[in-house]
Structures are given as C-alpha cells and as structure tokens.
Amino acid sequence: MTQHLAAPATTTTTGTRAEPAPWWRDAVIYQVYPRSFADGNGDGMGDLAGIRSRLPYLKELGVDAVWLSPFYASPQADAGYDVADYRAIDPMFGTLHDADALIRSAHGLGLRIIVDIVPNHCSDRHDWFRQALREGPGSRLRERFHFRKGKGPDGELPPNDWESIFGGPAWTRVEDGEWYLHLFAPEQPDFNWEHPAVQDEFRSILRFWLDLGADGFRVDVAHGLVKAPGLPDIGSGDQLKLLGNDVMPFFDQDGVHEIYRSWRRILDEYEGERVLVAEAWTPTVERTALYVRPDEMHQAFNFQYLTTNWDAQELRTVIDGSLAAMRPVGAPTTWVLSNHDVTRHATRFANPAGLGTQLREQGDRELGLRRARAATLLMLALPGSAYLYQGEELGLPDVTDLPDEVRQDPSFFRAEGQDGFRDGCRVPIPWTREGVSYGFGAGGSWLPQPRAWGELSVEAQSGVPGSTLELYRAALAVRRDHPGLGAGSMVTWLDAPDGVLALARDGFLCTTNTTGAPVRLPAPGTLLLATGPVTVTDGVAVLPADTTAWWTV
Ligand code: GLC
C-alpha cells in the first residue's frame, strides 16, 4: 500500500547558523587504530609511517579529520592505553619524527589530526609510579596515585569493593602491603587528580602535542578522573559492565568539569580551532551534555546512539533525545556506530537485538551488512559530527573466531569469558586482494585476518558500483557538496509507515526502512544515493528491506 510522506509530523528545532561554523561542528572524523591500519616496516604491526602512506586514501574517502588511538611509549598491557611516557612514541609505532611528519603530511592534504590522551591512568612502568613504589608507604610520590591500606586485621582485603572494568578487584596489593587503585588492568594505576602535580603535568602534555600541531584530543575515560570523596563502597555487589552507563562513585563525578575548563583555556590560546572530544560513558545524554558546555569540551561521543537497536522508533527516540540534550549547551551532537571497543556494527546488526556490544557470533552476515550500510547512511544525514571506525567503510564484520592464544584484550583474560572480545574489531585492514597480509604490510599481521578478507579489501571494492567503500565515498562526497547536511541541529520528521524513518533537512530527505520487507512510498524527490536497489516507477518508490535512501527535494 502506498503511504504518504506528508507535512512534518514533528519538528526538532534550534535555529540555523548565521556565519560559517567551526570545522568540527559537522566534521566526519575517521578513527585510526594504529596497530591495525597499515604496517610501514613489515613487522606485522601497524605504525605511523604506514598511516602516513595511507593518508591520500583517507583524503579520497572524504573525511575531515583523523583520530589516532594511542601511539605513546607503552608496555601495551591494554594496547597502548597504558602510557609509560606521554611525550614519546612507542618504538613499535615509530619516532617523534614520524609523528611530526604524519601531522605535517595530514595538514598538507587538508586533514586534521586528533590524538588520544589518556589522563585517568598511566602504565605501571610510568616513572612516577615506579618511583612511588620504590619510595614506599607515606611517600609524597604515592599521593599522585590512590594508595591505601587494606581492610582486615592484616590489611589483606582491598580498601573498598570496587571492581575493575576489566574484571576482578580494582585494587592490587604491592609488596609493602599497600594497595593501589586501577579501574582498568593492574598495569594501569589511576592518577589522583586532586594532586596539583598531576594537573600540571597534563596541562604540559597538552601543550606538547598542541605545539607539535595536533588539532585536538580525544579524552580517554573523561568521566573517570575524579572519584567520590572517601572512595565509598558501591555496596550493591553488581558486576560492572565494560563501558557501562551505570552510576558509580568513580564515574561522572561533578569535579571532572573543572579539569576540562582549565584544558579548554589552554586550547583556546592556540590558533586553528583545536578540539577536545570526551569519551564519557554517563547514565544519560543530559549528563553527557555537561561535558560540552561552552567553556569545556567541544564534542562528546554519543554512546546512546551506538547502543541503539535497529528499530525505527528506538532510533528516532535516541536521535531526538540526543539533539535535545545538546541544545541547551549549544554543542553539536555526535554520532558513532563502531569503534575499537565494541563489536563492529555490521556484526551487531547481524545478531538478535539486545545482546550488547561484545558479541561472539557472526549471525546473519548479509542482513548485518545491509543494516550497517543503511545505519551509516542514516547517521551521515543527521546534523552534527560523525565518527567512522577504520574498516567500516569496507563493511568488515567482527572476527568472532580468533583463537584464544592470539587474543590480547586484557579483559579477555580477566572477565572470565563474559567480555573481552574487543580483539575482533581490531584485526588489521585488508588493502589488497592478495598478499601475505592483504596489503596491510610486507610481513604478517599481529592478529590473523580471515581468508575471505581479500575480497573485502580496498582494492577489491574500489570502483565497484554498490560496494560499501564506494557507498561511503559517495555519501561523504554528497555531504561535502551539501554543506547543509551536517549543519545545524534540526531534523524534521515526516509521516512514514511503521518501521520507516523519513527526515527532511534543507532541500534534502532521508528515508530509512528498518523493517525486513520492502516498503512502497510516494517518491519524495530525486533519488540521490541508496544503500540498496531502490526503484521509482510512476512516482512510487519501493524501498527494499533494511535500506536507506537520500533524496533531493
Ligand atoms: C577507553 C578505551 C579503551 C581502554 C580504556 C582504558 O575506554 O577506549 O580501549 O581499554 O579506555 O584506557
């Protein structure tokens, strides 16, 4: 039955921009996971030289900026999120000279570089922590971390009941009997952010990278730096979920905001619209909005969107809620479907809804890819900034059958099989059809790539109409040609059949069919781009199952 795309049913508004907006308000930002993007020296591990050699690919893809996961000197207990020296590059990734060259080359191509800063914790090999251990209980250097005496007659019990996000107690006892806090792995001791030396050190680290030309920072665990006074027990005995949104005495404490205000003042001293992006898992989008008040950060990841099921009503609710939450603070909304911590969205959508973000099954791969493509095109039609994770433009699935012996995710070893499947989204990218690591490098690859990945490679998909890579390229080109697409913070919802979303923005319309069956609609305009074979006959469009189409009106 033909349905009508009639006048707006509801309108979400905030005003349009009067003058050119800063670049980041509608930027498409591509996450590079350095270990797995491109290997320049053939040692099986991605590196900065490899990334630099592939910048033209990213330029051609059409992104505005590149966010690099950590490349700092690190023992790699958590793939570089355990930093031993914030001003040095790990030899496996290259040198500071390589970082400088990478930033310069990116700028030469008109790409911005956002680096990952990890302020909640460092590595247990960081000089400060080693000194703190050496100097013993009561030393001033221990005050830079959270050292405590244990409970029980001999202090043999942890100081409180907090559990590590990677599983097991959040406390580890050292030889002299004291315990130290680590919200993540024992190799990642938490800094004490009450301490002025910690605050000063990070302000200096920010300047170091800003001076080198970094266009901004993705702030790791931005919600974790300040702990509730007295480090109170949680008491509920609830098992923590990796990257959960629960209210906890070590997450989303109000004190974190003063830190970001002081960081913002530093960024504002620099030219070129440098940005701060919060990785902040909070209980609500309203709490997330607090991180992007005008004098704090510029953007925060929208994890509520990432965790939404493939369901029109749920998507619409989250889209409206996300836009509404950012409105009072004037920050752009961000959108993200995949990153290095969650099962890739092609595999999430291939599985039944509600299984979370750490999956072990391939599910229905064809269905997953169809939905993933449709979800991406919907995301790129929304106002604000969108984050892409390397390889999603190839439609890569998660690798769900990695042998245990190659896994490196610390939570795999600590969470007793409940979590810890993040290696599956970190498998190196296939660039070519053939070759020892499908063009990732001249050597092997630190995680094995599935055999079928040659056919998903950049080479195999380039120039192939309808391939996922060409879909991303086309979508990003349309977004560039229609600057109104990512701008503002307004979507206009049109009436649409159940399970279908129809949203209008500035002479442009996006229809998404989340149902498993084709839907007929009055063709709302001229077809611009679609994720599946949309047909238009005598003014009637047929939108196949799980398909998004863009139209001009
Ligand atoms: C963030 C990172 C994740 C890391 C954790 C600890 O959530 O994205 O990869 O394990 O912080 O630094």
Side-chain angles (χ1 to χ4, degrees):
M1 196 184 69
T2 303
Q3 305 279 336
H4 293 281
L5 286 180
T10 54
T11 304
T12 309
T13 53
T14 61
T16 45
R17 67 186 193 212
E19 51 189 52
W23 70 273
W24 43 270
R25 292 196 73 91
D26 60 355
V28 176
I29 301 174
Y30 183 100
Q31 180 187 0
V32 163
Y33 195 65
R35 299 173 146 237
S36 307
F37 189 62
D39 172 13
N41 63 3
D43 67 355
M45 185 62 76
D47 49 38
L48 298 184
I51 299 168
R52 186 169 168 227
S53 74
R54 295 293 186 183
L55 288 174
Y57 165 80
L58 296 176
K59 180 66 186 172
E60 195 195 334
L61 181 61
V63 301
D64 302 298
V66 179
W67 149 35
L68 300 166
S69 281
F71 43 57
Y72 309 106
S74 161
Q76 305 289 323
D78 182 20
Y81 282 95
D82 47 318
V83 181
D85 184 345
Y86 292 85
R87 297 180 186 80
I89 307 294
D90 196 278
M92 80 186 209
F93 294 129
T95 62
L96 261 185
H97 176 77
D98 294 325
D100 181 51
L102 172 60
I103 293 172
R104 283 174 198 273
S105 298
H107 288 172
L109 290 170
L111 292 168
R112 315 230 182 198
I113 296 284
I114 294 173
V115 301
D116 213 315
I117 187 100
V118 188
N120 180 67
H121 46 263
C122 58
S123 158
D124 62 347
R125 309 282 178 82
H126 190 285
D127 274 351
W128 284 11
F129 191 73
R130 287 156 68 117
Q131 285 173 31
L133 284 185
R134 271 200 304 274
E135 298 205 2
S139 78
R140 303 292 301 270
L141 282 168
R142 287 210 173 178
E143 291 167 13
R144 295 175 182 182
F145 300 91
H146 296 280
F147 277 91
R148 293 285 186 281
K149 292 196 181 356
K151 286 184 176 163
D154 301 312
E156 72 282 11
L157 298 172
N160 71 17
D161 66 356
W162 297 1
E163 286 185 30
S164 152
I165 283 115
F166 290 158
W171 296 89
T172 290
R173 198 173 194 193
V174 300
E175 273 181 13
D176 55 50
E178 282 202 335
W179 297 75
Y180 68 89
L181 176 69
H182 52 85
L183 292 183
F184 293 87
E187 296 88 349
Q188 294 168 294
D190 278 48
F191 282 115
N192 171 16
W193 270 88
E194 305 286 322
H195 199 293
V198 174
Q199 298 169 10
D200 287 347
E201 174 66 356
F202 272 90
R203 284 193 285 257
S204 157
I205 293 165
L206 292 183
R207 287 186 189 283
F208 179 88
W209 290 100
L210 290 167
D211 288 340
L212 208 73
D215 295 288
F217 302 91
R218 176 263 190 192
V219 183
D220 188 63
V221 196
H223 54 309
L225 277 49
V226 173
K227 278 71 182 176
L231 311 183
D233 280 342
I234 297 168
S236 70
D238 284 350
Q239 185 68 29
L240 285 181
K241 298 274 175 297
L242 177 66
L243 308 176
N245 289 343
D246 312 283
V247 178
M248 290 290 166
F250 42 77
F251 280 160
D252 195 33
Q253 301 292 306
D254 290 335
V256 294
H257 297 291
E258 200 42 56
I259 298 168
Y260 302 128
R261 284 191 195 104
S262 88
W263 289 16
R264 177 62 179 263
R265 287 194 290 274
I266 292 173
L267 266 76
D268 284 348
E269 288 172 23
Y270 285 79
E271 287 180 343
E273 298 176 346
R274 319 280 177 115
V275 294
L276 292 167
V277 183
E279 186 220 18
W281 293 81
T282 71
T284 62
V285 275
E286 288 73 23
R287 291 292 304 179
T288 302
L290 299 179
Y291 290 77
V292 287
R293 286 177 285 192
D295 59 348
E296 294 193 40
M297 303 216 204
H298 301 76
Q299 294 185 346
F301 290 119
N302 184 356
F303 293 123
Q304 274 80 9
Y305 185 71
L306 184 149
T307 50
T308 303
N309 294 316
W310 184 238
D311 175 274
Q313 195 48 51
E314 283 185 45
L315 284 163
R316 180 169 164 170
T317 303
V318 169
I319 292 167
D320 278 343
S322 305
L323 293 170
M326 294 300 140
R327 194 161 304 131
V329 294
T333 309
T334 66
W335 313 100
V336 60
L337 287 162
S338 282
N339 65 32
H340 66 294
D341 288 328
V342 297
T343 299
R344 287 181 176 277
H345 64 285
T347 301
R348 288 205 314 275
F349 290 141
N351 278 282
L355 295 184
T357 55
Q358 303 271 311
L359 304 188
R360 272 172 276 181
E361 303 294 336
Q362 283 295 297
D364 179 341
R365 284 183 55 170
E366 213 178 295
L367 174 71
L369 181 58
R370 217 166 47 232
R371 289 175 170 176
R373 289 160 52 105
T376 297
L377 213 61
L378 169 63
M379 171 173 88
L380 292 175
L382 298 173
S385 179
Y387 280 80
L388 308 179
Y389 176 52
Q390 65 177 38
E392 68 169 79
E393 77 276 20
L394 305 176
L396 294 186
D398 233 61
V399 181
T400 47
D401 59 355
L402 286 171
D404 289 356
E405 59 273 18
V406 302
R407 290 186 185 278
Q408 300 206 9
D409 182 351
S411 60
F412 177 75
F413 303 102
R414 293 177 57 83
E416 290 165 8
Q418 301 196 3
D419 257 328
F421 291 90
R422 297 182 300 169
D423 291 309
C425 62
R426 299 174 178 181
V427 173
I429 299 299
W431 293 91
T432 54
R433 274 209 173 86
E434 309 285 339
V436 58
S437 54
Y438 303 111
F440 167 62
S445 109
W446 68 280
L447 284 173
Q449 300 154 299
R451 284 234 182 79
W453 277 27
E455 284 314 310
L456 295 178
S457 64
V458 173
E459 180 185 42
Q461 296 194 39
S462 288
V464 176
S467 71
T468 302
L469 178 57
E470 292 303 341
L471 174 72
Y472 271 70
R473 285 178 173 157
L476 295 177
V478 171
R479 220 178 127 104
R480 263 199 319 277
D481 294 346
H482 293 69
L485 243 181
S489 55
M490 182 180 97
V491 297
T492 302
W493 296 107
L494 307 178
D495 285 336
D498 278 355
V500 175
L501 294 172
L503 63 91
R505 325 199 53 241
D506 284 348
F508 175 91
L509 214 129
C510 173
T511 51
T512 298
N513 177 8
T514 67
T515 74
V519 174
R520 288 161 64 86
L521 309 162
T526 308
L527 186 62
L528 201 57
L529 187 63
T531 62
V534 174
T535 56
V536 181
T537 319
D538 297 334
V540 175
V542 178
L543 206 55
D546 303 308
T547 299
T548 293
W550 285 359
W551 313 80
T552 45
V553 286

